[in-house]
Amino acid sequence: MSIVTQALLIAAGIGLTVTALLAIVRIVRGPTILDRMIASDVLLTTLMLAVGADMVARGHTDTIPLMTVIAATATLATIVVARFVKRRADQPTLQQPKETGHV
């Protein structure tokens, strides 16, 4: 492996690590479930990119099924959370009783 290839792989590794750490921070801090879902999608995409970089570096295609499972999991999780948020938004909210004032 040449020096240029090693430098590119190290740069990609650093970039993927920073991206994963920032996504984990967003998952923890929130504040909404949609923010957390987007961050988890970013984290899973980062994991797929790391697996792809490993395939390029080692010259194999053995982990393509793993990448497919990660992509399917991210897609399914996004659909589930979107349906949950839609159902929660469609529920009627409780009306606060009107104040009649002091008597």
Side-chain angles (χ1 to χ4, degrees):
M1 191 178 308
S2 71
I3 301 287
V4 174
T5 306
Q6 284 181 344
L8 289 174
L9 286 174
I10 290 171
I14 291 170
L16 292 171
T17 302
V18 169
T19 303
L21 290 174
L22 291 173
I24 290 171
V25 167
R26 179 50 55 194
I27 289 171
V28 171
R29 289 186 57 191
T32 66
I33 192 170
L34 294 177
D35 289 331
R36 289 181 171 100
M37 189 65 237
I38 291 170
S40 68
D41 282 344
V42 169
L43 186 62
L44 288 173
T45 303
T46 303
L47 179 62
M48 284 179 38
L49 290 171
V51 170
D54 175 65
M55 287 193 315
V56 169
R58 297 177 190 241
H60 68 85
T61 57
D62 297 336
T63 54
I64 289 178
L66 176 64
M67 292 176 71
T68 305
V69 169
I70 293 170
T73 302
T75 304
L76 182 64
T78 302
I79 292 170
V80 168
V81 169
R83 285 183 175 221
F84 172 76
V85 169
K86 183 177 181 329
R87 282 189 184 168
R88 191 170 68 174
D90 289 344
Q91 289 179 349
T93 58
L94 296 176
Q95 296 290 333
Q96 296 293 332
K98 292 183 180 181
E99 293 185 31
T100 56
H102 294 314
V103 178

